[in-house]
Amino acid sequence: MFDIVMRISLLILAVSTLMYFYRLVKGPTVPDRVVALDAIGINLIGMTAVISVVLKTNSFLEVILLLGILAFIGTVAFSKFLEKGEIIENDRNQ
Amino acid sequence: MIEISKAISGYLILQGAVLCFIASIGVLRLPDVYTRNHAASKGATLGVMSLLLGVFLYFLMVEGHFNSRVLLGIAFVFLTSPVAGHLIMRAAYNTKVPLWENSVQNDLKKKNAGDPERTSHPRIRDK
């Protein structure tokens, strides 16, 4: 029963990632695509967690924290690029 | 005891997956980027937090393994996902992504009217 519930949750998460992927391809503006990519990263965290329960191993749990950090840094870099045109400003060069 | 633990963590994981699914339905169907981000940041954050709590309880009670990284992951997602949503929506507003045409209220527009040198930091402008 527990195993079936895990597989159903994995299927639900996969379908949800597919719907985000539709928004990533079609999305009319750039922030739409960034929102979809961020949400795909969040979904990937959940899929990693469920897969580590299905495989009964705790070796993948570091990946969860790593994916969270990477998704956040990617979104911050994209929003800085959209807003200011550059990601790392260097004021001393002026 | 094992069965009760499995039932609790299975319920939490299924609830998290369903919340992520509802968030993705919102991203698919809502009309503009602000409402889409409203669905994505709230729904996906709560969903993945519930899912990670279920996974943590599974490893704690069934496998007898206390994993602090999952707890750190929950705290990190809870702290950073709304901040990321705020940053990308501020960038969207400042790059003039239009609101839905049936929107009735835009407080920032009234505040910034007649100010051509509007920057993203009103506090810096006041100095």
Side-chain angles (χ1 to χ4, degrees), chain A residues 2 5-6 8-10 12-13 15-17 19-20 22-23 27-32 34-36 38-39 42-43 45-47 49-50 52-53 56-58 61-62 64-65 68-72 75-76 78-80 82-84, chain B residues 6-7 9-10 13-14 17-18 20-21 23-25 27-30 32-33 36-37 40 44-45 48 51-52 55 58-59 63 65 67 69-70 72-73 76-77 80-81 83-85 87-92 94-95 97 120-121:
Chain A
F2 185 73
V5 169
M6 287 305 106
I8 288 174
S9 332
L10 209 53
I12 292 174
L13 283 174
V15 173
S16 141
T17 307
M19 287 155 82
Y20 285 131
Y22 173 80
R23 182 52 69 195
T29 61
V30 180
D32 271 318
V34 181
V35 167
D38 190 41
I42 298 284
N43 260 4
I45 295 173
M47 289 174 89
V50 178
S52 70
V53 171
K56 290 188 175 51
T57 171
N58 49 34
L61 296 180
E62 285 89 358
I64 293 171
L65 197 52
I69 293 171
L70 284 182
F72 177 62
T75 309
V76 170
F78 263 122
S79 60
K80 277 202 78 170
L82 283 178
E83 204 167 343
K84 299 182 177 161
Chain B
K6 275 189 177 179
S9 67
I13 291 174
L14 192 65
V18 170
C20 284
F21 185 67
S24 76
I25 291 178
V27 170
L28 204 61
R29 287 188 53 91
L30 285 173
D32 68 346
V33 65
R36 271 178 218 140
N37 181 61
T45 304
V48 87
L51 201 148
L52 287 182
V55 171
Y58 174 80
F59 277 108
E63 310 263 321
H65 169 75
N67 198 304
R69 292 177 190 87
V70 181
L72 263 182
F76 197 80
V77 167
T80 61
S81 181
V83 177
L87 284 177
I88 189 62
M89 281 307 107
R90 197 181 63 179
N94 286 335
T95 52
V97 173
S120 57
H121 301 290

Side-chain angles (χ1 to χ4, degrees), chain B residues 72-116:
Chain B
L72 263 182
I74 295 174
F76 197 80
V77 167
F78 181 61
L79 283 181
T80 61
S81 181
V83 177
H86 165 74
L87 284 177
I88 189 62
M89 281 307 107
R90 197 181 63 179
Y93 192 84
N94 286 335
T95 52
K96 298 182 176 53
V97 173
L99 274 70
W100 186 34
E101 67 263 22
N102 290 352
S103 304
V104 293
Q105 194 168 8
N106 184 357
D107 286 340
L108 285 175
K109 190 178 175 185
K110 191 166 53 182
K111 188 174 157 192
N112 295 315
D115 186 6

Side-chain angles (χ1 to χ4, degrees), chain B residues 31-57:
Chain B
D32 68 346
V33 65
Y34 306 99
T35 48
R36 271 178 218 140
N37 181 61
H38 172 75
S41 68
K42 288 180 180 62
T45 304
L46 185 61
V48 87
M49 277 172 65
S50 161
L51 201 148
L52 287 182
L53 188 64
V55 171
F56 173 75
L57 287 180

